[in-house]
Amino acid sequence: MALSDSFMLATQELAPELGPAAAALALLGHEPGMPIERLRRALGLSHSGTVRLVDRLVAGGVIERHSSEQDRRAVALHLTKSGEEKCAAILAVRQQRISCALKVLDPHELEALGKIAEKLLKNQVHNLDEAYCVCRLCDPAACVNCPVAAALNESETAQKL
Amino acid sequence: MALSDSFMLATQELAPELGPAAAALALLGHEPGMPIERLRRALGLSHSGTVRLVDRLVAGGVIERHSSEQDRRAVALHLTKSGEEKCAAILAVRQQRISCALKVLDPHELEALGKIAEKLLKNQVHNLDEAYCVCRLCDPAACVNCPVAAALNESETAQKL
DNA sequence: AATATTATATGCGCAATGCATACAAATCAA
DNA sequence: TTGATTTGTATGCATTGCGCATATAATATT
């Protein structure tokens, strides 16, 4: 138990968040056209905070505000070319840090950790907001058989949302 | 691998940091008399940022600046009565969240996770600063056979810090 | 004794957040 | 349809927390 505590902290240390910007880019790379409100819930910010974050990212030339097709008050956020490059770089660094940390594990341990992680995740995700929250910095290319998506499908079939 | 990514994120979500204040209290609870500079390195803040944090915590009545015995320029930070209560509450909430997240694991998996965590941690800690960094929110009472301390002892005997 | 390093403190500006408010579009009620 | 409620976005305002540069005192080094 105490060891797991420390492990969780260690994993936190491994992902040096420079604020929510990196997560926003990763999320938009994952799901282009996401509206501000969904981004807000995924990042856990206030509304104005999210709008200002989007302002900064637009000013920085990494994302664009498009008008949404389905909802004319909503904004459809998209990565620009430069934003996609940034996003790829963020995911690459992340991947590199993680594999560096995990390289001390032998294949058997890695397998065990994967199983355990899947179990923990499935138990943790109950709705769409929490799913996006967990997937904030996930690399959709690397995340085969995403357990979050699986957990969501289950709860969808079970209780219709 | 992809699952481990998600797992690390999930663990992050579990520990809702309200900024470095909680970690500061936990660290001071762990090692009373700690000077500002060590706190600074453990929290990864700038110096002024740490001083201001200490100011706020002092103003909030949870810690006190004492004068250090060994070094007359240094400050010895101590928790007040109220600070110790806060610290205990923080560690308790943390403990509760973690055990809640881990309760889906069977004893065998818990054991495996512990082993894996220990291995990862030992590999991650190379010096005293990193050790404090990892132990930021650890509960010293719960952390029996702290792998960080063990890793430090090893490197000390090996290369005399 | 003179210099360099270390620990702390503070003035200053900035960046990021939240609250309250406003407005437009969509949904719901009657 | 009309009117009321909810939802998505935007902005003015204040606050907060941070880092940089600088200053001072104590320790370490030479």
Side-chain angles (χ1 to χ4, degrees):
Chain A
M1 184 73 75
L3 296 176
S4 316
D5 295 14
S6 306
F7 172 58
M8 294 190 182
L9 279 173
T11 61
Q12 281 191 16
E13 298 307 317
L14 268 187
E17 271 250 34
L18 303 99
L25 289 183
L27 279 167
L28 291 179
H30 193 299
E31 184 174 308
M34 180 181 287
I36 286 184
E37 177 61 18
R38 176 162 302 291
L39 189 61
R40 193 207 121 239
R41 284 198 281 252
L43 298 178
L45 292 180
S46 73
H47 184 79
S48 57
T50 313
V51 171
R52 297 278 151 74
L53 170 62
V54 168
D55 288 345
R56 292 194 298 273
L57 294 178
V58 168
V62 290
I63 70 174
E64 281 170 353
R65 279 184 170 98
H66 294 171
S67 48
S68 168
E69 305 288 326
Q70 303 86 8
D71 191 333
R72 283 195 307 171
R73 48 199 174 150
V75 167
L77 299 172
H78 288 269
L79 293 179
T80 62
K81 258 292 194 288
S82 153
E84 284 177 9
E85 289 166 13
K86 278 272 184 202
C87 178
I90 288 167
L91 294 182
V93 166
R94 178 178 159 70
Q95 187 67 26
Q96 182 252 321
R97 292 287 181 92
I98 290 169
S99 53
C100 177
L102 292 183
K103 70 167 181 267
V104 288
L105 299 183
D106 60 49
H108 179 267
E109 288 168 327
L110 207 54
E111 166 89 6
L113 179 56
K115 287 250 174 65
I116 291 171
E118 182 172 6
K119 205 164 177 181
L120 290 175
L121 265 182
K122 272 190 181 162
N123 182 249
Q124 212 59 36
V125 175
H126 306 104
N127 58 51
L128 199 53
D129 287 340
E130 286 179 2
Y132 279 105
C133 210
V134 167
C135 292
R136 284 186 314 162
L137 275 170
C138 267
D139 186 342
C143 192
V144 286
N145 287 330
C146 173
V148 172
L152 278 179
N153 281 338
E154 272 182 30
S155 60
E156 263 177 34
T157 57
Q159 59 172 13
K160 219 69 177 173
L161 160 23
Chain B
M1 183 74 73
L3 294 175
S4 316
D5 294 15
S6 304
F7 170 57
M8 294 189 182
L9 279 172
T11 60
Q12 281 192 15
E13 298 308 317
L14 268 187
E17 270 250 38
L18 304 99
L25 289 184
L27 279 167
L28 291 179
H30 193 300
E31 183 175 307
M34 180 180 288
I36 287 185
E37 178 60 18
R38 177 161 302 291
L39 189 63
R40 193 206 120 237
R41 284 197 280 253
L43 298 178
L45 291 180
S46 72
H47 184 79
S48 57
T50 313
V51 171
R52 297 280 152 73
L53 171 62
V54 168
D55 289 344
R56 292 194 298 273
L57 294 178
V58 168
V62 290
I63 71 174
E64 282 171 352
R65 279 184 170 96
H66 295 171
S67 47
S68 169
E69 305 287 327
Q70 303 85 7
D71 191 333
R72 284 195 306 172
R73 50 200 170 149
V75 168
L77 299 172
H78 288 270
L79 293 179
T80 63
K81 259 287 196 289
S82 153
E84 284 177 10
E85 290 167 11
K86 278 273 184 201
C87 178
I90 288 167
L91 294 181
V93 165
R94 178 178 159 70
Q95 188 67 26
Q96 181 251 323
R97 294 286 182 92
I98 290 169
S99 54
C100 176
L102 292 183
K103 69 166 182 269
V104 288
L105 298 183
D106 60 48
H108 180 265
E109 288 168 327
L110 207 53
E111 165 89 6
L113 179 56
K115 285 250 175 64
I116 291 171
E118 182 173 5
K119 204 164 176 181
L120 291 176
L121 266 182
K122 274 191 181 162
N123 180 250
Q124 212 58 36
V125 175
H126 307 103
N127 57 51
L128 198 55
D129 287 341
E130 286 178 4
Y132 279 106
C133 207
V134 166
C135 293
R136 285 185 313 161
L137 275 169
C138 266
D139 186 342
C143 192
V144 286
N145 286 330
C146 173
V148 172
L152 277 180
N153 282 338
E154 272 182 30
S155 60
E156 263 177 35
T157 56
Q159 57 172 16
K160 220 66 179 177
L161 169 19

